[in-house]
Amino acid sequence: MKILVAGSTGLVGSAILDKFKKDGHNVVGINSKVVDLLDREATFSYLKDSKPDVIVDAAAKVGGIGANKKYPVEFLSENLRIQNNLMDAAHEAKVERFIFLGSSCIYPKNAPQPIKEEYLLTGPLEETNSAYAIAKIAGIEAIKSFRRQYGHKWISLMPTNMYGPGDNFDQETGHVLPALINKFVSAKESGSPSVTLWGTGSPKREFLFSSDLADAVSIALEKYDEDLHLNVGTGEDLTIKELANLISREVGYRGEIIWDHTKPDGTLRKVLDVSRMNNLGWKPKVELKDGIRKTIEYFKNVKGMVVA
Ligand code: GDP
């Protein structure tokens, strides 16, 4: 069985590639340097030659609340093109299994918590990332359509907010957890008296370490073949303020935290109901504190700092 991981240099794709390699599978990773998935012809030609049996689609244009708000055109258009090209080419190349990875932002802004899979399309979306969310919802619908029309054993997984080594730590475009690691580590390094974070700090978020998602992908590939997308998360969340305290403590930063209320909070809560995934025998293994520690270590190494 040949497995292809699309987006293999990203946070999620690299963890999935590692997992399948460690498990002794015949697995290859592709990134935009190998084949540009925005290029339809190149995607068709690549899959015709490489003939994988399984594709895990972790290729996407992703970013934090700042990037999503600033570049909705790219988040909608690029994600639609990447996933359509890859799925259409996989269909033509007769790829047996396809795992499409989405995001917990697909759910309505005011969905009851914890969010069950069936709450999809029951209400309006959060405005700060609706372009990205609609592209991902289109992906879920495409997977379902390929199943109905052609009987493909293709499925969708919806992970919560992911983090880990290989993330985008940029302070402007990154997600909150890596952006905060960068902010606190940099402030400690430069001796800055304060760190400015966005919004009120009161929204709650759920975080999953990338290797735990890789385990979920492997289990779903083995055990799941149904129309309904599956949530992947811890089922536990904390406020952004609590997250900031956790990271600043781990980093050893003792300065002041300033909350910039001109920046958006985004949705107030989006914790996932993960009972379906748990029923398949999957549970996350990495505690938030340990995952944050590993991610800080990775970031310091990348920055060429000696890990304290
Ligand atoms: P979201 O989960 O799609 O809203 O995306 P993010 O991970 O980017 O943001 C989560 C929350 O963290 C929002 O409430 C932000 O206002 C808050 N936040 C606080 N400081 C930062 C920061 O420096 N960067 C980011 N991306 N978010 C921040």
Side-chain angles (χ1 to χ4, degrees):
M1 180 173 80
K2 181 176 175 183
I3 304 173
L4 185 96
V5 179
S8 63
T9 43
L11 162 70
V12 164
S14 61
I16 295 170
L17 188 67
D18 277 359
K19 160 81 183 156
F20 283 125
K21 270 189 191 161
K22 269 188 206 138
D23 289 351
H25 285 288
N26 172 15
V27 57
V28 284
I30 54 167
N31 57 58
S32 53
K33 287 191 188 104
V34 179
V35 52
D36 179 6
L37 298 175
L38 290 167
D39 181 337
R40 193 165 171 87
E41 272 173 36
T43 308
F44 272 70
S45 148
Y46 181 84
L47 285 194
K48 201 176 156 203
D49 294 340
S50 70
K51 292 192 179 58
D53 303 293
V54 178
I55 292 180
V56 182
D57 179 10
K61 180 173 178 62
V62 297
I65 194 165
N68 269 277
K69 219 175 152 236
K70 206 166 168 190
Y71 306 109
V73 171
E74 283 79 8
F75 277 89
L76 181 67
S77 165
E78 290 186 21
N79 283 309
L80 283 173
R81 279 186 284 156
I82 289 170
Q83 69 206 34
N84 284 343
N85 289 345
L86 199 56
M87 285 185 207
D88 293 346
H91 171 64
E92 185 160 289
K94 300 190 167 45
V95 176
E96 213 181 305
R97 308 283 331 261
F98 192 111
I99 299 194
F100 173 67
L101 296 176
S103 155
S104 59
C105 71
I106 57 162
Y107 292 110
K109 186 184 175 76
N110 297 316
Q113 311 284 320
I115 308 174
K116 291 181 192 292
E117 285 88 352
E118 48 269 39
Y119 298 166
L120 182 65
L121 294 173
T122 54
L125 297 165
E126 156 63 32
E127 301 77 21
T128 49
N129 53 20
S130 55
Y132 177 76
I134 285 176
K136 289 296 183 183
I137 293 170
I140 296 177
E141 193 61 29
I143 291 286
K144 269 201 250 170
S145 303
F146 275 110
R147 291 179 63 87
R148 283 179 196 160
Q149 197 171 330
Y150 298 107
H152 290 353
K153 292 157 76 178
W154 294 8
I155 58 169
S156 301
L157 299 184
M158 294 304 121
T160 186
N161 296 43
M162 301 304 308
Y163 75 103
D167 207 341
N168 168 19
F169 290 85
D170 189 273
Q171 296 192 11
E172 292 303 315
T173 62
H175 283 102
V176 60
L177 195 149
L180 262 56
I181 288 179
N182 187 351
K183 285 182 176 180
F184 285 119
V185 169
S186 303
K188 188 179 179 199
E189 201 183 20
S190 65
S192 172
S194 66
V195 162
T196 301
L197 304 184
W198 298 351
T200 60
S202 54
K204 294 182 98 178
R205 291 291 183 273
E206 174 190 16
F207 298 95
L208 183 70
F209 196 69
S210 52
S211 63
D212 278 328
L213 174 59
D215 290 349
V217 167
S218 170
I219 288 176
L221 182 61
E222 203 182 306
K223 298 187 176 172
Y224 192 73
D225 179 27
E226 285 175 43
D227 280 4
L228 189 68
H229 58 279
L230 288 184
N231 289 342
V232 190
T234 61
E236 287 168 21
D237 58 359
L238 76 172
T239 65
I240 298 300
K241 237 176 224 164
E242 287 166 334
L243 177 75
N245 291 336
L246 204 58
I247 296 176
S248 62
R249 224 177 297 134
E250 281 303 324
V251 168
Y253 177 74
R254 294 193 213 323
E256 191 193 350
I257 297 175
I258 296 165
W259 295 94
D260 178 356
H261 290 209
T262 66
K263 298 279 191 192
D265 266 343
T267 196
L268 284 183
R269 219 183 158 196
K270 49 174 174 178
V271 67
L272 295 177
D273 181 312
V274 287
S275 31
R276 281 196 171 87
M277 202 57 228
N278 290 161
N279 288 342
L280 291 182
W282 172 85
K283 268 204 169 64
K285 294 182 190 139
V286 183
E287 293 285 337
L288 183 59
K289 211 174 168 181
D290 297 335
I292 285 177
R293 208 169 282 161
K294 284 185 194 172
T295 311
I296 292 173
E297 234 169 79
Y298 169 89
F299 177 68
K300 285 180 171 177
N301 280 329
V302 165
K303 278 194 81 183
M305 296 164 65
V306 181
V307 180

